[in-house]
């Protein structure tokens, strides 16, 4: 759970004060944020059913699938 919290907080820190236009033009921030999101997703996979027990309101399937999207389907993700 610590990895999820730390990586989520890192993404928030990296993107603080940015709108999407600024974010999309900042390769370093995008790369760092994507890496943190991949770590967060992997930590959710490792937690397994415990994640749903602790925080049932979260979309754990979506969080876990985010890692696959980042690794395999990234060109197909619509950025808005």
């Amino acid at each position: 759970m610590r990895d999820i919290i730390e990586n989520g907080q890192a993404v928030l820190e990296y993107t603080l004060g940015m709108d999407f236009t600024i974010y999309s033009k900042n390769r370093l921030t995008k790369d760092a944020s994507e890496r943190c999101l991949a770590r967060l997703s992997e930590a959710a996979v490792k937690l397994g059913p415990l994640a749903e027990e602790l925080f049932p309101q979260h979309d754990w399937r979506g969080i876990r699938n985010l890692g696959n999207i980042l690794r395999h389907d990234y060109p197909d993700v619509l950025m808005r």
Side-chain angles (χ1 to χ4, degrees), residues 3-72:
D3 288 341
I4 292 173
I5 294 168
E6 288 176 358
N7 282 283
Q9 287 175 334
V11 172
L12 293 174
E13 290 172 18
Y14 299 158
T15 59
L16 184 65
M18 290 185 171
D19 62 17
F20 183 74
T21 302
I22 294 169
Y23 170 82
S24 65
K25 292 179 181 178
N26 189 323
R27 184 175 177 181
L28 183 62
T29 300
K30 283 183 1 183
D31 288 348
S33 297
E34 288 170 16
R35 180 67 181 122
C36 286
L37 291 171
R39 281 192 217 112
L40 190 152
S41 174
E42 184 60 29
V45 169
K46 289 180 180 179
L47 271 178
L50 180 60
E52 284 87 0
E53 291 175 30
L54 294 173
F55 299 98
Q57 69 277 18
H58 294 303
D59 177 12
W60 290 105
R61 182 176 181 197
I63 294 168
R64 290 178 184 112
N65 286 338
L66 179 60
N68 289 327
I69 292 169
L70 291 171
R71 284 188 297 276
H72 304 295

